């Protein structure tokens, strides 16, 4: 059952922090509903990019209404961040089956972020002024908390799309291209120490 | 158990660092699902349909992965 926890986002129109909520354990159908809500603005932004001759973000060929059927949702837990009545970001995690790869946490369980994305209207380059910032921060902080709740000490990992690597490189170890990943994406891991730095702003 | 709460001040600092940058990540399971036959949508086609106004109820025809 979906539960809600308070968080906040930075509203860019007035640079103020506003109340938001993390929706825990949302259903497959809710994930699809959110993507259907995002789709018209995605297409409008795509049309705008095409008219300007700019490249498309890599993940914009995704169609959740079809791919959800190919994904075993039972293996994942889904979270959304909601503000002003709409989902501003989505994240899907797995807490089983992933082990650390970097030296000081090899073999230790890590929370794996299978998917994370911000709503199209929050992306610079697609819209003149993103509506909210901090969507990624709120979701990554949630992943760290879930990791801790699972006994993983805040350790998390993910495969970043190329356009997102600078964001993750600030906070996580970059282990380079992962040939074992189907899309040959860069693999990132966050250690317990980095998790503490992320949420506290200092080493633990 | 560690409480990974974040102060408003640090959240604000981190959110400004984030700006409007992409946060996209996709794992092996999802990549496999997406690369399966018939799950990659042709956005060009979708866009054309949208422009032409014949995209039905907003559902876009899936195209086989190239």
């Amino acid at each position: 059952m979906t539960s809600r926890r308070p968080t906040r986002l930075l509203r860019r129109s007035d640079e103020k922090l506003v109340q938001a909520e993390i929706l825990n354990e949302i259903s497959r159908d809710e994930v699809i509903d959110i993507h259907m809500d995002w789709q018209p603005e995605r297409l409008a932004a795509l049309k705008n990019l095409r008219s300007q001759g700019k490249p498309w973000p890599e993940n914009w060929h995704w169609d959740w209404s079809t791919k959800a059927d190919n994904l075993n949702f039972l293996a994942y837990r889904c979270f959304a961040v909601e503000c002003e009545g709409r989902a501003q970001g989505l994240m899907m995690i797995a807490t089983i089956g992933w082990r650390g790869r970097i030296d000081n946490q090899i073999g230790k369980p890590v929370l794996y972020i299978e998917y994370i994305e911000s709503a199209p209207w929050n992306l610079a380059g697609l819209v003149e002024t993103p509506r909210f910032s901090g969507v990624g921060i709120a979701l990554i902080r949630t992943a760290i908390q879930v990791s801790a709740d699972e006994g993983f000490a805040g350790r998390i990992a993910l495969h970043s799309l190329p356009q997102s690597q600078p964001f993750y490189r600030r906070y996580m170890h970059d282990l380079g291209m992962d040939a074992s990943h189907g899309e040959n994406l860069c693999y990132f891991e966050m250690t317990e120490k980095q998790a503490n730095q992320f949420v506290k702003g200092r080493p633990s | 158990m560690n409480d990974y709460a974040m102060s408003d001040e640090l959240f604000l600092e981190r959110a400004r660092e984030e700006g409007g940058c992409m946060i996209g990540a996709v794992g092996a399971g999802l990549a496999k699902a997406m690369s399966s036959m018939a799950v990659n949508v042709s956005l060009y086609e979708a866009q054309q349909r949208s422009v032409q106004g014949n995209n039905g109820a907003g559902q876009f025809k899936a195209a086989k992965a190239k």
Side-chain angles (χ1 to χ4, degrees):
Chain A
M1 179 180 291
T2 301
S3 62
R4 294 167 179 260
R5 296 172 68 171
T7 185
R8 68 240 114 157
L9 293 176
L10 174 60
R11 188 169 55 203
R12 301 307 302 270
S13 60
D14 57 7
E15 291 294 307
K16 291 189 181 304
L17 286 182
V18 293
Q19 294 300 310
E21 290 183 308
I22 296 290
L23 278 57
N24 300 303
E25 314 285 351
I26 63 174
S27 69
R28 168 188 178 279
D29 287 347
E30 287 172 309
V31 170
I32 294 172
D33 284 347
I34 289 169
H35 276 269
M36 297 297 274
D37 180 43
W38 290 359
Q39 194 73 338
E41 301 213 28
R42 270 206 182 110
L43 291 175
L46 273 173
K47 189 176 180 182
N48 190 40
L49 287 176
R50 279 176 59 84
S51 69
Q52 297 176 38
K54 294 180 179 176
W56 297 352
E58 292 93 338
N59 54 322
W60 281 32
H61 64 292
W62 297 358
D63 180 355
W64 278 82
S65 64
T66 54
K67 73 174 178 257
D69 291 334
N70 296 54
L71 194 64
N72 176 14
F73 267 76
L74 292 176
Y76 305 107
R77 294 159 65 182
C78 298
F79 298 79
V81 55
E82 187 179 273
C83 189
E84 296 183 352
R86 292 181 87 179
Q88 306 296 332
L90 266 178
M91 177 176 70
M92 182 184 296
I93 64 167
T95 54
I96 298 172
W98 285 90
R99 300 279 168 177
R101 299 183 187 178
I102 58 178
D103 286 346
N104 62 349
Q105 59 189 31
I106 286 179
K108 293 182 179 177
V110 300
L111 179 150
Y112 182 69
I113 297 177
E114 179 72 28
Y115 158 80
I116 186 169
E117 188 179 11
S118 191
W121 52 80
N122 293 325
L123 301 177
L126 303 182
V127 293
E128 279 194 25
T129 305
R131 292 184 205 167
F132 296 102
S133 289
V135 172
I137 303 301
L139 290 173
I140 294 292
R141 196 213 68 79
T142 299
I144 291 170
Q145 183 67 62
V146 174
S147 169
D149 293 345
E150 293 287 329
F152 300 170
R155 294 185 298 270
I156 64 172
L158 55 82
H159 286 88
S160 172
L161 293 169
Q163 71 227 1
S164 311
Q165 291 170 13
F167 174 75
Y168 295 113
R169 208 167 277 129
R170 287 194 195 118
Y171 310 113
M172 304 171 76
H173 284 286
D174 179 356
L175 280 74
M177 298 294 279
D178 182 1
S180 69
H181 187 279
E183 299 286 318
N184 205 26
L185 300 178
C186 271
Y187 179 73
F188 291 83
E189 262 185 34
M190 180 179 281
T191 64
E192 179 179 2
K193 181 179 178 181
Q194 287 174 315
N196 274 295
Q197 288 175 325
F198 183 82
V199 296
K200 307 290 185 191
R202 53 177 168 71
S204 57
Chain B
M1 186 169 294
N2 200 341
D3 176 12
Y4 285 88
M6 186 184 281
S7 69
D8 280 349
E9 292 74 18
L10 186 60
F11 186 91
L12 192 59
E13 179 185 326
R14 296 268 189 261
R16 285 184 172 141
E17 287 172 357
E18 178 190 304
C21 74
M22 301 281 183
I23 59 166
V26 57
L30 199 51
K32 183 180 176 185
M34 287 188 298
S35 64
S36 301
M37 297 294 279
V39 296
N40 277 355
V41 71
S42 163
L43 260 184
Y44 178 76
E45 181 182 9
Q47 187 184 18
Q48 292 306 305
R49 285 169 172 268
S50 179
V51 168
Q52 294 164 10
N54 63 347
N55 59 333
Q59 301 294 317
F60 303 121
K61 181 181 176 183
K64 289 186 177 181
K66 293 181 180 176

